[in-house]
């Protein structure tokens, strides 16, 4: 199993550009989430999904869109990039039931810089 | 919503000493408290967790304690080794609702010196 994969690893955007951060998991997990990590602020939840076709907002959703058409994929879209969106983005997945039900498995992250 | 505070932000210990990281939370409905370790350039990885019906949990050199009345929980690492150097995050949540959402603390940079 590859676990949670994210692409790209690094990205530089100009203000106003749009882009999609890709996230995929091969563990058949129902739950997937996007976090951003900023110095001194820990990880903050952007959006999450409890299953295909179902998404909801987290703590800092403004400026981001998500969709979940399959169990495996959960892309994060930046509609019009702003310097305040410079951050490291982590995708995570977790199973809904059984085993270690609440563990979140994180991807390796995407470092985004907006100039 | 939930608010998690974590202290200290940096911690330096000598190899073999113990390290303690403390967190407080605000939402009395939170009942799940995991700790994640993040090595440089990688995503966070779960190292230990505790549920609200348990006061202490141990796994080899790491242990977590929980005081629900005071709303605080702590991570204890004994006999620290250089490979323990990393950023540690505490978190609080209510599993099963809302996709296992977690609120994270701001992190502690642990450095184990030889």
């Amino acid at each position: 199993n590859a676990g949670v994969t994210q692409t790209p690893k690094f990205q530089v955007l100009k203000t106003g550009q749009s882009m999609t951060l890709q996230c995929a998991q091969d563990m058949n997990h129902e739950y997937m989430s996007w976090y951003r990590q900023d110095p001194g602020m820990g990880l903050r939840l952007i959006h999450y999904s409890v299953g295909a076709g179902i998404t909801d907002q987290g703590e800092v959703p403004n400026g981001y869109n998500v969709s979940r058409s399959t169990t495996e994929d959960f892309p994060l879209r930046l509609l019009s990039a702003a310097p305040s969106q410079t951050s490291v983005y982590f995708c995570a997945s977790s199973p809904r039931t059984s085993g270690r039900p609440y563990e979140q498995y994180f991807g390796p992250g995407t470092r985004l810089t907006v100039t | 919503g939930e608010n998690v505070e974590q202290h200290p932000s940096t911690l330096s210990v000598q190899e073999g000493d113990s390290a303690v990281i403390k967190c407080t939370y605000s939402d009395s409905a939170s009942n799940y408290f995991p700790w994640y370790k993040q090595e440089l350039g990688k995503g966070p990885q779960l190292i230990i967790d505790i549920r609200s019906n348990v006061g202490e949990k141990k796994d080899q050199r790491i242990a977590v304690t929980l005081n629900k009345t005071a709303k605080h929980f702590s991570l204890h690492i004994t006999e620290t080794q250089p490979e323990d150097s990393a950023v540690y995050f505490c978190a609080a949540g209510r599993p099963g609702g809302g996709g296992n959402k977690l609120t994270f603390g701001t992190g502690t940079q642990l450095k184990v010196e030889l």
Side-chain angles (χ1 to χ4, degrees), chain A residues 37, chain B residues 36-39 84-89 106-110:
Chain A
Q37 184 176 28
Chain B
Y36 283 80
K37 176 183 182 182
Q38 185 179 26
E39 296 176 341
D84 294 329
S85 296
V87 179
Y88 292 81
F89 291 97
T106 51
T108 296
Q109 174 78 60
L110 174 64

mmCIF file with all atom_site columns, all heavy atoms in Angstrom, chain A residues 37, chain B residues 36-39 84-89 106-110:
data_model
loop_
_atom_site.group_PDB
_atom_site.id
_atom_site.type_symbol
_atom_site.label_atom_id
_atom_site.label_alt_id
_atom_site.label_comp_id
_atom_site.label_asym_id
_atom_site.label_entity_id
_atom_site.label_seq_id
_atom_site.pdbx_PDB_ins_code
_atom_site.Cartn_x
_atom_site.Cartn_y
_atom_site.Cartn_z
_atom_site.occupancy
_atom_site.B_iso_or_equiv
_atom_site.pdbx_formal_charge
_atom_site.auth_seq_id
_atom_site.auth_comp_id
_atom_site.auth_asym_id
_atom_site.auth_atom_id
_atom_site.pdbx_PDB_model_num
ATOM 1   N N   . GLN A 1 37  ? -0.612 23.823 7.591  1.00 0.00 ? 37  GLN A N   1
ATOM 2   C CA  . GLN A 1 37  ? 0.302  23.958 8.722  1.00 0.00 ? 37  GLN A CA  1
ATOM 3   C C   . GLN A 1 37  ? 1.113  25.219 8.556  1.00 0.00 ? 37  GLN A C   1
ATOM 4   O O   . GLN A 1 37  ? 1.859  25.374 7.572  1.00 0.00 ? 37  GLN A O   1
ATOM 5   C CB  . GLN A 1 37  ? 1.236  22.750 8.823  1.00 0.00 ? 37  GLN A CB  1
ATOM 6   C CG  . GLN A 1 37  ? 2.146  22.803 10.042 1.00 0.00 ? 37  GLN A CG  1
ATOM 7   C CD  . GLN A 1 37  ? 3.002  21.559 10.175 1.00 0.00 ? 37  GLN A CD  1
ATOM 8   O OE1 . GLN A 1 37  ? 3.334  20.894 9.195  1.00 0.00 ? 37  GLN A OE1 1
ATOM 9   N NE2 . GLN A 1 37  ? 3.351  21.221 11.410 1.00 0.00 ? 37  GLN A NE2 1
ATOM 10  N N   . TYR B 2 36  ? 0.858  13.215 17.991 1.00 0.00 ? 36  TYR B N   1
ATOM 11  C CA  . TYR B 2 36  ? 1.499  12.949 16.713 1.00 0.00 ? 36  TYR B CA  1
ATOM 12  C C   . TYR B 2 36  ? 2.939  13.429 16.744 1.00 0.00 ? 36  TYR B C   1
ATOM 13  O O   . TYR B 2 36  ? 3.257  14.456 17.365 1.00 0.00 ? 36  TYR B O   1
ATOM 14  C CB  . TYR B 2 36  ? 0.751  13.662 15.579 1.00 0.00 ? 36  TYR B CB  1
ATOM 15  C CG  . TYR B 2 36  ? -0.532 12.975 15.160 1.00 0.00 ? 36  TYR B CG  1
ATOM 16  C CD1 . TYR B 2 36  ? -1.698 13.129 15.893 1.00 0.00 ? 36  TYR B CD1 1
ATOM 17  C CD2 . TYR B 2 36  ? -0.560 12.156 14.035 1.00 0.00 ? 36  TYR B CD2 1
ATOM 18  C CE1 . TYR B 2 36  ? -2.866 12.483 15.514 1.00 0.00 ? 36  TYR B CE1 1
ATOM 19  C CE2 . TYR B 2 36  ? -1.726 11.516 13.649 1.00 0.00 ? 36  TYR B CE2 1
ATOM 20  C CZ  . TYR B 2 36  ? -2.872 11.680 14.391 1.00 0.00 ? 36  TYR B CZ  1
ATOM 21  O OH  . TYR B 2 36  ? -4.023 11.031 14.021 1.00 0.00 ? 36  TYR B OH  1
ATOM 22  N N   . LYS B 2 37  ? 3.791  12.697 16.036 1.00 0.00 ? 37  LYS B N   1
ATOM 23  C CA  . LYS B 2 37  ? 5.202  13.061 15.891 1.00 0.00 ? 37  LYS B CA  1
ATOM 24  C C   . LYS B 2 37  ? 5.446  13.417 14.435 1.00 0.00 ? 37  LYS B C   1
ATOM 25  O O   . LYS B 2 37  ? 5.036  12.672 13.531 1.00 0.00 ? 37  LYS B O   1
ATOM 26  C CB  . LYS B 2 37  ? 6.083  11.874 16.291 1.00 0.00 ? 37  LYS B CB  1
ATOM 27  C CG  . LYS B 2 37  ? 7.577  12.078 16.102 1.00 0.00 ? 37  LYS B CG  1
ATOM 28  C CD  . LYS B 2 37  ? 8.345  10.803 16.452 1.00 0.00 ? 37  LYS B CD  1
ATOM 29  C CE  . LYS B 2 37  ? 9.843  10.984 16.313 1.00 0.00 ? 37  LYS B CE  1
ATOM 30  N NZ  . LYS B 2 37  ? 10.578 9.729  16.605 1.00 0.00 ? 37  LYS B NZ  1
ATOM 31  N N   . GLN B 2 38  ? 6.091  14.559 14.199 1.00 0.00 ? 38  GLN B N   1
ATOM 32  C CA  . GLN B 2 38  ? 6.377  14.969 12.837 1.00 0.00 ? 38  GLN B CA  1
ATOM 33  C C   . GLN B 2 38  ? 7.877  15.153 12.660 1.00 0.00 ? 38  GLN B C   1
ATOM 34  O O   . GLN B 2 38  ? 8.481  16.036 13.271 1.00 0.00 ? 38  GLN B O   1
ATOM 35  C CB  . GLN B 2 38  ? 5.648  16.268 12.480 1.00 0.00 ? 38  GLN B CB  1
ATOM 36  C CG  . GLN B 2 38  ? 5.819  16.667 11.021 1.00 0.00 ? 38  GLN B CG  1
ATOM 37  C CD  . GLN B 2 38  ? 5.073  17.937 10.670 1.00 0.00 ? 38  GLN B CD  1
ATOM 38  O OE1 . GLN B 2 38  ? 4.820  18.785 11.517 1.00 0.00 ? 38  GLN B OE1 1
ATOM 39  N NE2 . GLN B 2 38  ? 4.712  18.084 9.404  1.00 0.00 ? 38  GLN B NE2 1
ATOM 40  N N   . GLU B 2 39  ? 8.455  14.331 11.821 1.00 0.00 ? 39  GLU B N   1
ATOM 41  C CA  . GLU B 2 39  ? 9.872  14.465 11.488 1.00 0.00 ? 39  GLU B CA  1
ATOM 42  C C   . GLU B 2 39  ? 10.009 15.421 10.319 1.00 0.00 ? 39  GLU B C   1
ATOM 43  O O   . GLU B 2 39  ? 9.055  15.648 9.561  1.00 0.00 ? 39  GLU B O   1
ATOM 44  C CB  . GLU B 2 39  ? 10.468 13.094 11.190 1.00 0.00 ? 39  GLU B CB  1
ATOM 45  C CG  . GLU B 2 39  ? 10.436 12.186 12.411 1.00 0.00 ? 39  GLU B CG  1
ATOM 46  C CD  . GLU B 2 39  ? 10.938 10.786 12.129 1.00 0.00 ? 39  GLU B CD  1
ATOM 47  O OE1 . GLU B 2 39  ? 10.986 10.394 10.950 1.00 0.00 ? 39  GLU B OE1 1
ATOM 48  O OE2 . GLU B 2 39  ? 11.291 10.094 13.098 1.00 0.00 ? 39  GLU B OE2 1
ATOM 49  N N   . ASP B 2 84  ? 14.337 10.646 18.906 1.00 0.00 ? 84  ASP B N   1
ATOM 50  C CA  . ASP B 2 84  ? 13.104 11.254 19.421 1.00 0.00 ? 84  ASP B CA  1
ATOM 51  C C   . ASP B 2 84  ? 13.000 12.724 19.013 1.00 0.00 ? 84  ASP B C   1
ATOM 52  O O   . ASP B 2 84  ? 11.935 13.337 19.168 1.00 0.00 ? 84  ASP B O   1
ATOM 53  C CB  . ASP B 2 84  ? 13.049 11.157 20.948 1.00 0.00 ? 84  ASP B CB  1
ATOM 54  C CG  . ASP B 2 84  ? 12.942 9.722  21.452 1.00 0.00 ? 84  ASP B CG  1
ATOM 55  O OD1 . ASP B 2 84  ? 12.335 8.886  20.732 1.00 0.00 ? 84  ASP B OD1 1
ATOM 56  O OD2 . ASP B 2 84  ? 13.463 9.431  22.537 1.00 0.00 ? 84  ASP B OD2 1
ATOM 57  N N   . SER B 2 85  ? 14.084 13.303 18.512 1.00 0.00 ? 85  SER B N   1
ATOM 58  C CA  . SER B 2 85  ? 14.069 14.701 18.080 1.00 0.00 ? 85  SER B CA  1
ATOM 59  C C   . SER B 2 85  ? 13.086 14.868 16.927 1.00 0.00 ? 85  SER B C   1
ATOM 60  O O   . SER B 2 85  ? 13.204 14.195 15.895 1.00 0.00 ? 85  SER B O   1
ATOM 61  C CB  . SER B 2 85  ? 15.473 15.147 17.637 1.00 0.00 ? 85  SER B CB  1
ATOM 62  O OG  . SER B 2 85  ? 16.376 15.117 18.722 1.00 0.00 ? 85  SER B OG  1
ATOM 63  N N   . ALA B 2 86  ? 12.099 15.744 17.132 1.00 0.00 ? 86  ALA B N   1
ATOM 64  C CA  . ALA B 2 86  ? 11.029 15.948 16.156 1.00 0.00 ? 86  ALA B CA  1
ATOM 65  C C   . ALA B 2 86  ? 10.093 17.017 16.715 1.00 0.00 ? 86  ALA B C   1
ATOM 66  O O   . ALA B 2 86  ? 10.304 17.540 17.810 1.00 0.00 ? 86  ALA B O   1
ATOM 67  C CB  . ALA B 2 86  ? 10.249 14.652 15.921 1.00 0.00 ? 86  ALA B CB  1
ATOM 68  N N   . VAL B 2 87  ? 9.034  17.329 15.956 1.00 0.00 ? 87  VAL B N   1
ATOM 69  C CA  . VAL B 2 87  ? 7.965  18.185 16.463 1.00 0.00 ? 87  VAL B CA  1
ATOM 70  C C   . VAL B 2 87  ? 6.814  17.289 16.903 1.00 0.00 ? 87  VAL B C   1
ATOM 71  O O   . VAL B 2 87  ? 6.425  16.373 16.169 1.00 0.00 ? 87  VAL B O   1
ATOM 72  C CB  . VAL B 2 87  ? 7.479  19.185 15.393 1.00 0.00 ? 87  VAL B CB  1
ATOM 73  C CG1 . VAL B 2 87  ? 6.339  20.042 15.951 1.00 0.00 ? 87  VAL B CG1 1
ATOM 74  C CG2 . VAL B 2 87  ? 8.623  20.070 14.926 1.00 0.00 ? 87  VAL B CG2 1
ATOM 75  N N   . TYR B 2 88  ? 6.319  17.529 18.092 1.00 0.00 ? 88  TYR B N   1
ATOM 76  C CA  . TYR B 2 88  ? 5.219  16.741 18.640 1.00 0.00 ? 88  TYR B CA  1
ATOM 77  C C   . TYR B 2 88  ? 3.964  17.617 18.743 1.00 0.00 ? 88  TYR B C   1
ATOM 78  O O   . TYR B 2 88  ? 4.020  18.750 19.206 1.00 0.00 ? 88  TYR B O   1
ATOM 79  C CB  . TYR B 2 88  ? 5.588  16.191 20.024 1.00 0.00 ? 88  TYR B CB  1
ATOM 80  C CG  . TYR B 2 88  ? 6.671  15.152 19.951 1.00 0.00 ? 88  TYR B CG  1
ATOM 81  C CD1 . TYR B 2 88  ? 8.008  15.526 19.846 1.00 0.00 ? 88  TYR B CD1 1
ATOM 82  C CD2 . TYR B 2 88  ? 6.371  13.801 19.961 1.00 0.00 ? 88  TYR B CD2 1
ATOM 83  C CE1 . TYR B 2 88  ? 9.015  14.573 19.759 1.00 0.00 ? 88  TYR B CE1 1
ATOM 84  C CE2 . TYR B 2 88  ? 7.366  12.832 19.887 1.00 0.00 ? 88  TYR B CE2 1
ATOM 85  C CZ  . TYR B 2 88  ? 8.684  13.230 19.771 1.00 0.00 ? 88  TYR B CZ  1
ATOM 86  O OH  . TYR B 2 88  ? 9.681  12.284 19.672 1.00 0.00 ? 88  TYR B OH  1
ATOM 87  N N   . PHE B 2 89  ? 2.846  17.059 18.310 1.00 0.00 ? 89  PHE B N   1
ATOM 88  C CA  . PHE B 2 89  ? 1.562  17.756 18.373 1.00 0.00 ? 89  PHE B CA  1
ATOM 89  C C   . PHE B 2 89  ? 0.588  16.967 19.228 1.00 0.00 ? 89  PHE B C   1
ATOM 90  O O   . PHE B 2 89  ? 0.456  15.745 19.068 1.00 0.00 ? 89  PHE B O   1
ATOM 91  C CB  . PHE B 2 89  ? 0.943  17.888 16.978 1.00 0.00 ? 89  PHE B CB  1
ATOM 92  C CG  . PHE B 2 89  ? 1.659  18.827 16.060 1.00 0.00 ? 89  PHE B CG  1
ATOM 93  C CD1 . PHE B 2 89  ? 2.573  18.350 15.136 1.00 0.00 ? 89  PHE B CD1 1
ATOM 94  C CD2 . PHE B 2 89  ? 1.412  20.188 16.102 1.00 0.00 ? 89  PHE B CD2 1
ATOM 95  C CE1 . PHE B 2 89  ? 3.238  19.210 14.272 1.00 0.00 ? 89  PHE B CE1 1
ATOM 96  C CE2 . PHE B 2 89  ? 2.067  21.060 15.248 1.00 0.00 ? 89  PHE B CE2 1
ATOM 97  C CZ  . PHE B 2 89  ? 2.989  20.573 14.339 1.00 0.00 ? 89  PHE B CZ  1
ATOM 98  N N   . THR B 2 106 ? -0.231 23.738 19.001 1.00 0.00 ? 106 THR B N   1
ATOM 99  C CA  . THR B 2 106 ? 0.687  24.455 18.119 1.00 0.00 ? 106 THR B CA  1
ATOM 100 C C   . THR B 2 106 ? 2.038  23.771 17.951 1.00 0.00 ? 106 THR B C   1
ATOM 101 O O   . THR B 2 106 ? 2.872  24.249 17.203 1.00 0.00 ? 106 THR B O   1
ATOM 102 C CB  . THR B 2 106 ? 0.890  25.893 18.620 1.00 0.00 ? 106 THR B CB  1
ATOM 103 O OG1 . THR B 2 106 ? 1.228  25.842 20.008 1.00 0.00 ? 106 THR B OG1 1
ATOM 104 C CG2 . THR B 2 106 ? -0.367 26.719 18.436 1.00 0.00 ? 106 THR B CG2 1
ATOM 105 N N   . GLY B 2 107 ? 2.257  22.676 18.663 1.00 0.00 ? 107 GLY B N   1
ATOM 106 C CA  . GLY B 2 107 ? 3.470  21.895 18.443 1.00 0.00 ? 107 GLY B CA  1
ATOM 107 C C   . GLY B 2 107 ? 4.590  22.214 19.422 1.00 0.00 ? 107 GLY B C   1
ATOM 108 O O   . GLY B 2 107 ? 4.707  23.332 19.922 1.00 0.00 ? 107 GLY B O   1
ATOM 109 N N   . THR B 2 108 ? 5.418  21.199 19.679 1.00 0.00 ? 108 THR B N   1
ATOM 110 C CA  . THR B 2 108 ? 6.609  21.331 20.524 1.00 0.00 ? 108 THR B CA  1
ATOM 111 C C   . THR B 2 108 ? 7.796  20.757 19.764 1.00 0.00 ? 108 THR B C   1
ATOM 112 O O   . THR B 2 108 ? 7.769  19.591 19.357 1.00 0.00 ? 108 THR B O   1
ATOM 113 C CB  . THR B 2 108 ? 6.455  20.568 21.853 1.00 0.00 ? 108 THR B CB  1
ATOM 114 O OG1 . THR B 2 108 ? 5.397  21.139 22.609 1.00 0.00 ? 108 THR B OG1 1
ATOM 115 C CG2 . THR B 2 108 ? 7.760  20.592 22.655 1.00 0.00 ? 108 THR B CG2 1
ATOM 116 N N   . GLN B 2 109 ? 8.810  21.588 19.551 1.00 0.00 ? 109 GLN B N   1
ATOM 117 C CA  . GLN B 2 109 ? 10.044 21.124 18.909 1.00 0.00 ? 109 GLN B CA  1
ATOM 118 C C   . GLN B 2 109 ? 10.928 20.517 19.988 1.00 0.00 ? 109 GLN B C   1
ATOM 119 O O   . GLN B 2 109 ? 11.438 21.238 20.852 1.00 0.00 ? 109 GLN B O   1
ATOM 120 C CB  . GLN B 2 109 ? 10.750 22.291 18.236 1.00 0.00 ? 109 GLN B CB  1
ATOM 121 C CG  . GLN B 2 109 ? 12.121 21.939 17.660 1.00 0.00 ? 109 GLN B CG  1
ATOM 122 C CD  . GLN B 2 109 ? 12.020 21.186 16.342 1.00 0.00 ? 109 GLN B CD  1
ATOM 123 O OE1 . GLN B 2 109 ? 11.481 21.684 15.379 1.00 0.00 ? 109 GLN B OE1 1
ATOM 124 N NE2 . GLN B 2 109 ? 12.556 19.974 16.320 1.00 0.00 ? 109 GLN B NE2 1
ATOM 125 N N   . LEU B 2 110 ? 11.072 19.194 19.961 1.00 0.00 ? 110 LEU B N   1
ATOM 126 C CA  . LEU B 2 110 ? 11.927 18.496 20.933 1.00 0.00 ? 110 LEU B CA  1
ATOM 127 C C   . LEU B 2 110 ? 13.285 18.227 20.311 1.00 0.00 ? 110 LEU B C   1
ATOM 128 O O   . LEU B 2 110 ? 13.385 17.662 19.223 1.00 0.00 ? 110 LEU B O   1
ATOM 129 C CB  . LEU B 2 110 ? 11.286 17.177 21.367 1.00 0.00 ? 110 LEU B CB  1
ATOM 130 C CG  . LEU B 2 110 ? 12.136 16.271 22.265 1.00 0.00 ? 110 LEU B CG  1
ATOM 131 C CD1 . LEU B 2 110 ? 12.415 16.948 23.597 1.00 0.00 ? 110 LEU B CD1 1
ATOM 132 C CD2 . LEU B 2 110 ? 11.472 14.920 22.477 1.00 0.00 ? 110 LEU B CD2 1
#
